[in-house]
């Protein structure tokens, strides 16, 4: 078997083994291993974010459902307490996403990093803009509490679906696209279901979809790792 000759230092001595030129196949293997490590790290961050939001939806929307007199048949939470639980769950989701997102972007530079930052800012602008739009609408149109509950929650959940579906163009993931479509379909179906049980649909179906998507991401990384092993 042919062996590539040692590189020689200016002094005439052979360079140490760790400074020898790598075989092209060895270099390709090292690059593939690094790429796999980055992909697994990114996937781990996405799974943490999704699990965080799944728990936030399950706890938060179940609390709101239990705070409505026509909701949970087992027990009823005081209205103010239900909203505090919901707010705390959403805040926990935001904090988890922020920390996990920061760790995912640590040490990563380039066009993809800028694209991810702009995507996150666009999503935040969409949610803030939607809230301002609905608030402006209520200045001109009288909306009762039940209708507002359907409209606000449904609109925000629909935007979540749009964010994931459009984000698939950046990630190149068809699974992410269909997950976004499923969330949009959930917003429509839950609105058709009506208040207050639309909240239960968001908790069970929405949280379940996020957990299922988390499992799919983990499974796809394991399969890809098995192919490269």
């Amino acid at each position: 078997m042919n062996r590539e000759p040692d590189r020689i230092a200016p002094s005439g001595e052979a360079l140490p083994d760790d400074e020898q030129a790598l075989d092209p196949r060895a270099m390709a293997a090292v690059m593939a291993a690094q790429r796999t490590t980055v992909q697994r790290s990114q996937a781990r961050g996405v799974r943490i974010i999704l699990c965080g939001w799944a728990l936030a939806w399950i706890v938060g929307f179940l609390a709101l459902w239990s705070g409505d007199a026509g909701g949970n048949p087992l027990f009823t939470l005081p209205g103010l307490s239900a909203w505090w639980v919901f707010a705390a769950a959403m805040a926990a989701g935001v904090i988890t996403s922020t920390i996990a997102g920061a760790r995912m972007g640590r040490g990563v530079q380039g066009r993809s990093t800028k694209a991810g930052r702009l995507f996150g800012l666009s999503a935040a602008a969409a949610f803030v803009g939607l809230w301002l739009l609905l608030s402006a609408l209520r200045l001109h149109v009288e909306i009762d509490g039940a209708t507002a509950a359907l409209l606000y929650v449904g609109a925000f959940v629909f935007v979540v679906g749009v964010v994931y579906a459009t984000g698939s163009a950046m990630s190149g993931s068809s699974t992410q696209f269909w997950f976004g479509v499923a969330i949009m379909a959930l917003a429509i179906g839950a609105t058709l279901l009506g208040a207050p049980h639309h909240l239960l649909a968001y908790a069970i179906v929405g949280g379940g979809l996020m957990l299922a998507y988390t499992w799919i991401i983990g499974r796809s990384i394991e399969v890809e790792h098995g192919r490269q092993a």
Side-chain angles (χ1 to χ4, degrees):
M1 180 176 179
N2 294 330
R3 183 180 183 275
E4 192 169 319
D6 291 342
R7 293 170 58 198
I8 305 299
S11 62
E13 298 179 353
L15 290 173
D17 291 341
D18 59 354
E19 295 186 21
Q20 297 289 339
L22 288 175
D23 180 84
R25 287 178 296 181
M27 292 178 64
V30 170
M31 292 176 64
Q34 291 177 339
R35 182 168 58 251
T36 300
T37 300
V38 172
Q39 289 175 345
R40 297 184 75 175
S41 176
Q42 295 287 317
R44 189 184 306 114
V46 173
R47 283 182 287 174
I48 291 174
I49 291 172
L50 285 169
C51 283
W53 279 114
L55 292 175
W57 278 37
I58 292 172
V59 173
F61 284 117
L62 281 180
L64 290 183
W65 179 61
S66 300
D68 193 288
N72 194 337
L74 300 179
F75 63 89
T76 301
L77 289 176
L80 186 58
S81 298
W83 278 103
W84 274 112
V85 172
F86 178 78
M90 295 301 110
V94 171
I95 293 172
T96 301
S97 298
T98 302
I99 295 175
R103 290 180 176 178
M104 287 169 60
R106 186 178 300 167
V108 179
Q109 296 180 347
R111 184 176 299 177
S112 61
T113 303
K114 182 178 180 180
R117 187 181 303 112
L118 290 174
F119 177 76
L121 291 173
S122 299
F127 289 118
V128 173
L130 178 62
W131 180 76
L132 292 174
L133 177 64
L134 293 176
S135 298
L137 177 65
R138 296 194 69 177
L139 293 176
H140 304 282
V141 179
E142 185 175 351
I143 301 176
D144 60 84
T147 303
L150 287 171
L151 177 62
Y152 273 78
V153 180
F156 278 99
V157 171
F158 192 88
V159 170
V160 170
V162 171
V163 166
Y164 276 103
T166 55
S168 66
M170 184 175 65
S171 65
S173 170
S174 57
T175 304
Q176 180 178 336
F177 170 78
W178 289 113
F179 172 72
V181 171
I183 293 295
M184 287 188 276
L186 169 62
I188 296 171
T191 303
L192 288 172
L193 183 62
H197 298 303
H198 68 305
L199 299 170
L200 179 62
Y202 290 130
I204 303 303
V205 180
L209 283 172
M210 290 184 181
L211 292 176
Y213 184 39
T214 302
W215 180 85
I216 291 173
I217 292 176
R219 181 59 181 167
S220 65
I221 291 297
E222 291 176 2
V223 171
E224 183 67 23
H225 181 65
R227 290 176 180 173
Q228 296 178 359

